[in-house]
Amino acid sequence: MASAAGCTGASEKQTPAAPQTTSGDAGSASSSPSSSSPSSSVPAVSYTELQKFLPAAPGGWQLDDKSGVTYTADGEDWSSAWATYSRTDNSDITASVYIQDTAGMREGYWEMWDMATVIDTSDFSWKSITMMGNPAWEYIDKTSDGSALYVGIKDRIIVLVNIDGGSKDDLYAFANSINYGGLAALT
């Protein structure tokens, strides 16, 4: 799904501690903005502020690139920050971490979020989980060592961790190192 949203990335390989997730019911990650969600007239957090929450490279990985952008259209804005990583022993194994603040608009990865549904096949699975108290969607490609995790924060900020060529442990090495509470405090 990361490629479908116009983003691809690099991955890092490391065996982390057990993922800090809990299973949720099928609908727990499929929230839509509530009446208390920010309106689209709320300014987005600057991409430079979001960059501060991109994780350092875990052991065995290197940071390849870090960037960000703020989009403005029709007087409304949203921002993104991202970093790409690769294994130091195999540059074909890559990771990427994206953080987006859509200021309450259903843009970017929130559009992907709204299409997610629980699926389990012999090729891939999508499931609803909770990541450190936040609703999330976990995607595991069972045929190509790819995985992704979408974490929603206050129906405004979304974090995407994407692994290409690595393992589910790699996914959670990055996902567990993100300060979700700090991101929530930005809104």
Side-chain angles (χ1 to χ4, degrees):
M1 291 213 4
S3 296
C7 298
T8 59
S11 166
E12 298 189 13
K13 180 83 175 163
Q14 176 183 338
T15 304
Q20 297 177 9
T21 63
T22 56
S23 295
D25 64 14
S28 68
S30 59
S31 66
S32 294
S34 65
S35 59
S36 65
S37 294
S39 70
S40 58
S41 62
V42 174
V45 173
S46 167
Y47 74 87
T48 57
E49 191 64 27
L50 295 178
Q51 284 178 321
K52 296 174 184 176
F53 291 89
L54 293 167
W61 291 87
Q62 66 185 18
L63 174 66
D64 295 330
D65 185 40
K66 187 189 277 191
S67 195
V69 65
T70 297
Y71 308 91
T72 302
D74 299 324
E76 298 176 331
D77 58 78
W78 54 289
S79 57
S80 296
W82 60 90
T84 57
Y85 311 80
S86 60
R87 286 286 300 175
T88 56
D89 60 349
N90 182 348
S91 63
D92 291 335
I93 300 173
T94 60
S96 56
V97 177
Y98 298 88
I99 302 172
Q100 289 185 338
D101 176 13
T102 61
M105 297 181 293
R106 297 314 266 189
E107 300 287 343
Y109 289 114
W110 282 116
E111 291 176 332
M112 303 294 290
W113 179 280
D114 290 339
M115 294 186 311
T117 186
V118 175
I119 301 172
D120 188 21
T121 72
S122 58
D123 295 329
F124 71 93
S125 68
W126 270 104
K127 72 178 183 178
S128 171
I129 65 170
T130 302
M131 181 66 186
M132 296 187 189
N134 298 289
W137 286 99
E138 178 192 80
Y139 170 78
I140 304 295
D141 185 328
K142 298 175 183 178
T143 64
S144 70
D145 295 327
S147 56
L149 183 69
Y150 294 77
V151 182
I153 302 169
K154 294 180 133 181
D155 280 325
R156 178 172 164 166
I157 292 177
I158 197 161
V159 175
L160 165 63
V161 180
N162 189 59
I163 302 296
D164 186 19
S167 69
K168 186 174 176 179
D169 287 342
D170 295 323
L171 178 69
Y172 284 98
F174 284 93
N176 285 332
S177 68
I178 295 169
N179 180 354
Y180 300 99
L183 285 166
L186 294 175
T187 63

